[in-house]
Amino acid sequence: MKQYLYIEMDNCIGCRSCLAACTQCGGHDERNRNYVYDVNPLVDRQTIPLMCLHCVNPACARSCPAQAIQITAEGAVLSALVEKCIGCQNCTIACPYGIPKFDEAQNLMYKCDLCYDRTKDGIPPMCASVCPTNTLQWVTEEELSMKKEQHRLGKWMSSREPFDPLEGETNVKISLPGILQGKQKLF
Amino acid sequence: MLKDKFYKTVANKRHPNESLVPTHCSYCGMQCGMNLRVDTSTNKIIGVEPRYDWPVTLGKMCPKGVTAYQQTNHDDRLLRPLIRDNPLLKGTKDGFREASWEEAYDLIVRKFQELQGQYGKDSLSVFSGVSMTNEKCYLTGKFARVALQTRYIDYNGRFCMSSAAAGFLRTFGVDRGSTLPWTDLHQTDCLFIAGSNTAECHPTSMFRVWEVQNRGGYLIVADPRETPLARRADIHLDLRPGTDLALANCMVNLLIQNGYADEEFVRAHTNGFDELAEVVKVFTPEYTSEITGVAVEKLVRAAEIYGKAPEAVVLFARGIEQQHKGTDNVSGYTNMCLVTGKIGRPKSGVATFTGQGNGQGGREHGQKSDLLPGYRKITNPKHVEEVCKVWGIKPEEMPQPGVSAYEMFELMMNKTIRGLYLLCSNPAVSAPNQHAVRAALKELDFMVCSDLYLSESCEFADVVLPTTSWSEDEGTVTNLEGRIIKINKAQEPLGESKPDWQIHVELAERLGRGQYFSHLTTACKVADEFRLASKGGYADYYGATWDKIDKQDGVFWPCKSEEDPGTPYMFLDKKFYHADGKAMLCALPYRPPAEEPCAEYPLRLTTGRVVYHYLSGNQTRRIPFLRDMCPEPYVEVHPATAQKYGIEHEEVVRLHTRRGEAFYKVKIIEAIREDTVFVPYHFGHDLSINLLTIAALDPISRMPEFKVCAAQIDKVAEKPSGRPQ
């Protein structure tokens, strides 16, 4: 059964539990591969997570001259293979979201692999497992279609140019801030 | 098992050559379920896995929970007892030498007996905490009263939960932190949350809070700061710190005036309505707005929403409780539930967010100066007799009631108390008015501190005993719902560390009181005696066997017999615990904070937590991830205030009150009132905000007013050289 990482941005409280949990995934060498940003720290406490969106046609993998970035059948875009990565850092430049990280000492790129050693067995990734607010959720196809009925799901666009944004299909689905807009109140 | 809409059946991730030990977090009252990963070749804890099948938190954890396991095998762990021979070094980390348990015990026994021989039994004191199991909390009370035979025992719940306890006792005649299970929260129609930064202090409640809004329900938040919780609230009542009682009275007044009172419920199940209505009458929205600074429309709308909501839950935390009228604030907000009858049924009720892991259980079983196991009163001869029967002592041997935590420091200062046994607490960071507290600790003739790390309080001790972390012992704790749950042992104690219950037994034997303690050879045996000691009390745990806890995913007290499944919902029969079965509507005139702003100190200082740290930070400041995320305290200032003082973001300023000063970096944010500044309290030494806080105590709960005092900011020309980095 295919499941998706689904993000409800508005729920984020900035606890960064997802970062702490990322370090705890078996294959992650205790290094986190995700980000949480303060949106406007001098004004309010809104924060948003920035996770790898696992693009259907990922710029990181396309830019890799060594075919070091593998994509699984489920659509998870993996970390660079140790034996193939040449440390050119093309991927870190190509990714419109700045996801891949680079280990200078190892001369190796590493990134979110959607906790593949968990998700391949149907176990949620660490970030979505621990997220105390349900900002990060691991949902079935059916749950996702229900979400789509409730909210207009955004596409994460990068501002290459304001009128020609880079936009692509991603395996991770996002509900942008404002999920309560238009919500019918109970009374 | 209560399974709700969030529950999913998920298999555990199994790592090769590892076993999983199901348990709960070491930190706050949420007591999130977790599995500890144990390496099967070394038998050491090496990581954490979510506990998806724990019905309250479903595998969710905050960053403290995710990294909690890193405490156990931390390099800073104390592995052997420490003795300091030179008392002149008190107040520093210096002069300790490692010693054997025998040498440490001999010294403690000799010193304790000397002091008691010379100055009487009550010259010794015990200061305890509630981040430990019920079994340990229970035995600490027995240790003080039976082994040391002193009246002076109290605990750090006085800085945490005591106002909630006192308020609920006065209103309901019983103190269970929540009248309903947490799995009901997301199903209610309105959450009224006062003085709780839930998102940072109890993060795993948040998915239920947001779900209320997702369903179209309302979230009302009363807080001087726009916390991550308040950011999304339908109504944010941004009140001045220390003005909660006016706000609560205004809500009750509006509920009565606008016809939301449930007259039948009030008549049948409460006392005191007329007096209440009379007292709250003056709290019109306009008058309340003057006191609290909250806009009139917001007050009116908040009361309307709460009044109209078919089901609603009132929640609060330290924000309203850590005031010198904390008890009144608790009863004041609880009046909202009683006046409208929104209590004693599913999806409606009242709860406090318990701060410490076992803040609920730890206050029920005899660590408090006036309480005995099962929430019995030490001043009630019948209660004393019941407990004496279990303990095997004569009622006349039971010590008198003592004094509250902060008052113990005053008695140390005047030499009434000369010896201290401190465990599971770090008052050299967490108590208010630190200059006085640290002076009192220095004044002691002899001090023992039991901790897993060398805390700031250990620095005042003559003997430091290495105790176990939560993961090296077993027992029960009671979470914020009132649900008794089981903590399991995942590895053997590190080094020579011992669980506190064992230390108590071994010390009691050496003090010649072995006949009352020697049979307690395992945590399970302590549990059996403790359940018996609670039997028949208000907080009756007798039927909460470890086996039942395991089978039922916890047992809610009261649980009176082996057949009794426990009590998830309180007051379903609308019977409260006062003699006439009615709840007390308390008529509470407003009192301002003990220290109001003035020309010299024009700002209101409030304190609280950040999501990355727990209590005094003794544990969390040692965890790399948490330290990296929040390495030092700061003072939060509104930009308009910053402009007035001519200070910039990240500039170091001098913050001071009548009691002390400290230097902090400025964090500018619009999400705080202009008249208020905020500093997190998790830091020690010169960075402790409690150098500045006021020790104005609540007359009933003896809770200090951590949440508000008058302060001033000064620009500093240069960074002071003495400031630790």
Side-chain angles (χ1 to χ4, degrees):
Chain A
M1 176 178 57
K2 176 142 180 174
Q3 286 184 265
Y4 296 88
L5 183 64
Y6 165 69
I7 306 177
E8 252 165 36
M9 292 285 183
D10 230 5
N11 293 347
C12 185
I13 54 170
C15 72
R16 291 168 173 82
S17 201
C18 49
L19 306 192
C22 187
T23 67
Q24 298 304 308
C25 186
H28 284 188
D29 300 328
E30 298 186 12
R31 296 185 297 198
N32 68 277
R33 290 123 194 273
N34 40 13
Y35 309 80
V36 172
Y37 287 109
D38 297 324
V39 176
N40 203 350
L42 298 179
V43 175
D44 63 21
R45 298 177 212 273
Q46 185 174 7
T47 50
I48 54 164
L50 179 58
M51 325 299 278
C52 174
L53 300 180
H54 295 276
C55 301
V56 172
N57 188 9
C60 59
R62 276 186 288 146
S63 75
C64 180
Q67 281 85 52
I69 302 172
Q70 307 281 302
I71 303 161
T72 71
E74 298 87 350
V77 182
L78 303 181
S79 269
L81 292 165
V82 186
E83 57 272 25
K84 285 192 174 177
C85 179
I86 57 171
C88 70
Q89 301 188 53
N90 270 8
C91 52
T92 63
I93 299 160
C95 174
Y97 318 116
I99 296 295
K101 296 189 176 191
F102 189 71
D103 184 319
E104 300 275 351
Q106 277 184 286
N107 198 38
L108 179 68
M109 174 279 254
Y110 63 99
K111 66 176 284 295
C112 167
D113 58 1
L114 213 57
C115 292
Y116 191 60
D117 69 333
R118 307 173 71 85
T119 50
K120 71 176 161 50
D121 299 327
I123 304 171
M126 281 303 280
C127 57
S129 295
V130 302
C131 178
T133 60
N134 280 347
T135 302
L136 306 171
Q137 303 177 33
W138 185 244
V139 299
T140 61
E141 199 101 46
E142 190 187 351
E143 288 167 322
L144 185 65
S145 53
M146 279 164 63
K147 296 283 186 191
K148 279 179 178 160
E149 274 170 37
Q150 289 166 9
H151 319 294
R152 194 174 59 85
L153 297 196
K155 270 188 185 164
W156 197 256
M157 294 182 289
S158 66
S159 52
R160 186 174 54 180
E161 283 172 40
F163 304 107
D164 178 24
L166 196 63
E167 185 185 326
E169 195 60 35
T170 58
N171 279 302
V172 174
K173 308 295 178 189
I174 293 176
S175 171
L176 290 170
I179 54 169
L180 295 178
Q181 283 172 19
K183 168 67 70 181
Q184 191 64 41
K185 286 287 189 186
L186 288 172
F187 58 91
Chain B
M1 186 206 282
L2 293 152
K3 285 187 186 172
D4 56 38
K5 63 177 286 183
F6 296 107
Y7 190 94
K8 285 182 180 179
T9 305
V10 178
N12 279 321
K13 170 73 186 168
R14 296 278 169 191
H15 301 267
N17 308 316
E18 289 177 20
S19 60
L20 290 180
V21 177
T23 188
H24 299 270
C25 182
S26 59
Y27 299 122
C28 81
M30 286 301 297
Q31 286 295 294
C32 301
M34 61 169 61
N35 288 302
L36 290 172
R37 291 165 57 186
V38 181
D39 184 312
T40 43
S41 58
T42 60
N43 292 317
K44 293 273 194 247
I45 295 166
I46 55 161
V48 68
E49 268 293 326
R51 188 171 168 187
Y52 298 107
D53 61 353
W54 179 248
V56 187
T57 52
L58 311 155
K60 296 174 179 305
M61 287 178 273
C62 80
K64 298 183 291 291
V66 171
T67 54
Y69 77 92
Q70 294 171 12
Q71 294 171 80
T72 308
N73 297 305
H74 197 285
D75 286 345
D76 290 355
R77 278 290 297 275
L78 298 173
L79 303 177
R80 299 192 73 204
L82 301 175
I83 292 177
R84 177 158 54 195
D85 302 304
N86 182 358
L88 294 175
L89 294 171
K90 277 192 182 205
T92 73
K93 285 189 176 73
D94 303 326
F96 287 110
R97 62 177 170 87
E98 287 201 338
S100 68
W101 276 98
E102 279 313 310
E103 190 189 357
Y105 280 154
D106 285 349
L107 179 61
I108 294 169
V109 168
R110 184 164 60 80
K111 287 285 190 181
F112 278 5
Q113 285 175 341
E114 270 175 27
L115 286 173
Q116 287 193 315
Q118 210 172 340
Y119 303 106
K121 296 284 186 199
D122 293 335
S123 60
L124 295 185
S125 62
V126 175
F127 191 108
S128 180
V130 285
S131 294
M132 57 182 184
T133 60
N134 285 314
E135 288 72 15
K136 287 171 183 155
C137 292
Y138 160 76
L139 204 62
T140 302
K142 183 179 173 186
F143 174 76
R145 281 154 182 151
V146 179
L148 299 180
Q149 298 164 275
T150 177
R151 69 193 293 179
Y152 292 120
I153 172 167
D154 210 60
Y155 78 122
N156 65 7
R158 294 280 188 187
F159 304 154
C160 185
M161 300 306 302
S162 63
S163 292
F168 284 150
L169 275 176
R170 181 171 60 180
T171 298
F172 298 135
V174 67
D175 158 35
R176 207 187 78 178
S178 177
T179 65
L180 73 177
W182 235 237
T183 42
D184 267 31
L185 284 190
H186 61 273
Q187 303 180 54
T188 194
D189 305 315
C190 171
L191 289 174
F192 188 105
I193 305 183
S196 163
N197 181 2
T198 315
E200 298 204 64
C201 306
H202 300 85
T204 49
S205 292
M206 286 306 295
F207 69 104
R208 299 189 191 278
V209 172
W210 290 160
E211 177 64 11
V212 172
Q213 286 188 313
N214 291 345
R215 285 177 37 252
Y218 291 87
L219 173 63
I220 302 168
V221 176
D223 201 305
R225 301 193 301 148
E226 193 196 78
T227 60
L229 171 77
R231 184 178 73 79
R232 243 180 80 168
D234 294 275
I235 310 275
H236 175 203
L237 305 166
D238 49 347
L239 78 176
R240 290 192 183 100
T243 61
D244 284 277
L245 188 55
L247 178 62
N249 280 349
C250 176
M251 289 297 116
V252 173
N253 183 32
L254 288 169
L255 289 168
I256 295 171
Q257 298 300 328
N258 296 326
Y260 295 116
D262 182 338
E263 282 165 27
E264 201 185 316
F265 179 93
V266 166
R267 200 170 36 246
H269 305 297
T270 69
N271 291 314
F273 181 80
D274 294 341
E275 294 86 337
L276 172 66
E278 188 58 33
V279 162
V280 299
K281 211 164 59 183
V282 296
F283 290 90
T284 60
E286 293 73 20
Y287 177 57
T288 307
S289 178
E290 270 173 45
I291 298 174
T292 61
V294 180
V296 168
E297 317 80 75
K298 287 199 211 176
L299 294 168
V300 172
R301 180 73 180 130
E304 185 192 358
I305 291 170
Y306 181 83
K308 272 189 185 162
E311 307 292 346
V313 181
V314 172
L315 294 149
F316 39 74
R318 303 308 81 71
I320 73 152
E321 297 163 17
Q322 288 176 331
Q323 295 181 23
H324 88 311
K325 54 177 176 296
T327 305
D328 287 358
N329 289 338
V330 167
S331 292
Y333 280 116
T334 306
N335 282 340
M336 291 171 64
C337 312
L338 288 168
V339 162
T340 56
K342 287 174 189 166
I343 193 162
R345 61 182 195 232
K347 304 180 200 179
S348 279
V350 61
T352 179
F353 287 95
T354 306
Q356 298 187 67
N358 196 22
Q360 177 75 53
R363 70 177 181 261
E364 299 162 357
H365 300 295
Q367 292 196 97
K368 221 170 173 174
S369 61
D370 58 344
L371 287 185
L372 291 171
Y375 235 118
R376 289 185 175 88
K377 289 291 257 184
I378 206 164
T379 45
N380 180 329
K382 188 172 159 281
H383 288 182
V384 170
E385 203 172 305
E386 287 164 356
V387 173
C388 285
K389 215 178 279 175
V390 178
W391 285 355
I393 61 169
K394 296 194 194 80
E396 53 270 28
E397 289 179 75
M398 184 69 82
Q400 295 297 305
V403 299
S404 78
Y406 186 80
E407 291 165 300
M408 288 216 289
F409 297 115
E410 294 173 340
L411 295 185
M412 289 171 202
M413 207 59 210
N414 73 17
K415 289 285 188 185
T416 307
I417 291 174
R418 290 175 172 265
L420 167 65
Y421 187 101
L422 172 69
L423 69 155
C424 195
S425 190
N426 190 11
V429 175
S430 60
N433 195 16
Q434 276 290 309
H435 287 297
V437 168
R438 292 177 196 178
L441 291 174
K442 267 194 180 167
E443 198 59 41
L444 287 164
D445 293 3
F446 186 68
M447 172 177 161
V448 181
C449 185
S450 160
D451 208 310
L452 67 161
Y453 304 118
L454 198 75
S455 68
E456 285 81 356
S457 298
C458 288
E459 293 172 17
F460 293 87
D462 298 282
V463 179
V464 178
L465 300 176
T467 191
T468 49
S469 75
W470 100 113
S471 56
E472 297 156 303
D473 186 31
E474 62 178 342
T476 60
V477 304
T478 310
N479 76 356
L480 80 178
E481 303 167 285
R483 185 194 302 242
I484 307 157
I485 56 175
K486 178 80 195 307
I487 299 289
N488 289 314
K489 179 174 173 174
Q491 80 167 50
E492 287 302 317
L494 200 66
E496 293 179 17
S497 62
K498 295 180 185 192
D500 282 302
W501 61 263
Q502 190 186 345
I503 300 172
H504 288 327
V505 171
E506 291 175 358
L507 264 176
E509 285 171 338
R510 285 160 178 81
L511 286 161
R513 307 292 280 176
Q515 64 188 110
Y516 306 107
F517 290 86
S518 292
H519 59 288
L520 302 169
T521 51
T522 63
C524 192
K525 284 186 179 162
V526 182
D528 288 342
E529 183 180 292
F530 147 63
R531 287 194 295 112
L532 194 63
S534 78
K535 189 175 162 71
Y538 292 119
D540 192 331
Y541 282 42
Y542 182 66
T545 61
W546 288 5
D547 192 41
K548 194 190 286 180
I549 292 170
D550 199 38
K551 281 198 188 112
Q552 285 186 197
D553 281 331
V555 176
F556 289 80
W557 73 260
C559 179
K560 295 179 178 175
S561 67
E562 260 114 42
E563 298 73 39
D564 182 353
T567 315
Y569 295 93
M570 294 294 278
F571 320 131
L572 281 180
D573 55 1
K574 307 287 188 287
K575 288 271 177 292
F576 298 93
Y577 281 54
H578 289 304
D580 61 359
K582 291 185 177 184
M584 187 67 206
L585 283 167
C586 303
L588 304 160
Y590 176 72
R591 286 177 288 144
E595 197 178 64
E596 286 274 56
C598 58
E600 204 180 343
Y601 297 100
L603 297 167
R604 286 173 196 254
L605 167 65
T606 190
T607 67
R609 288 190 192 176
V610 299
V611 68
Y612 306 110
H613 292 295
Y614 176 66
L615 305 187
S616 75
N618 183 36
Q619 294 148 287
T620 50
R621 278 185 274 125
R622 298 173 201 272
I623 306 294
F625 180 85
L626 303 175
R627 193 178 54 220
D628 289 352
M629 290 295 150
C630 183
E632 58 179 10
Y634 48 83
V635 55
E636 231 174 62
V637 182
H638 191 278
T641 311
Q643 194 171 27
K644 208 160 77 187
Y645 284 85
I647 53 177
E648 288 173 18
H649 190 61
E650 304 227 313
E651 177 178 341
V652 174
V653 296
R654 173 172 174 260
L655 183 67
H656 59 113
T657 66
R658 290 185 176 86
R659 290 150 298 281
E661 61 167 23
F663 295 86
Y664 298 113
K665 264 188 198 161
V666 172
K667 181 177 169 186
I668 289 182
I669 187 162
E670 285 176 27
I672 187 167
R673 293 181 56 87
E674 286 183 29
D675 55 9
T676 303
V677 294
F678 167 87
V679 181
Y681 71 80
H682 313 284
F683 300 84
H685 299 126
D686 293 351
L687 293 175
S688 176
I689 188 59
N690 281 323
L691 293 163
L692 283 71
T693 51
I694 190 168
L697 304 186
D698 180 293
I700 304 173
S701 69
R702 315 309 284 167
M703 167 75 76
E705 191 153 68
F706 291 101
K707 281 294 182 278
V708 54
C709 65
Q712 175 66 307
I713 287 176
D714 288 345
K715 259 182 103 72
V716 285
E718 278 167 48
K719 206 172 182 181
S721 55
R723 184 169 187 263
Q725 292 303 303

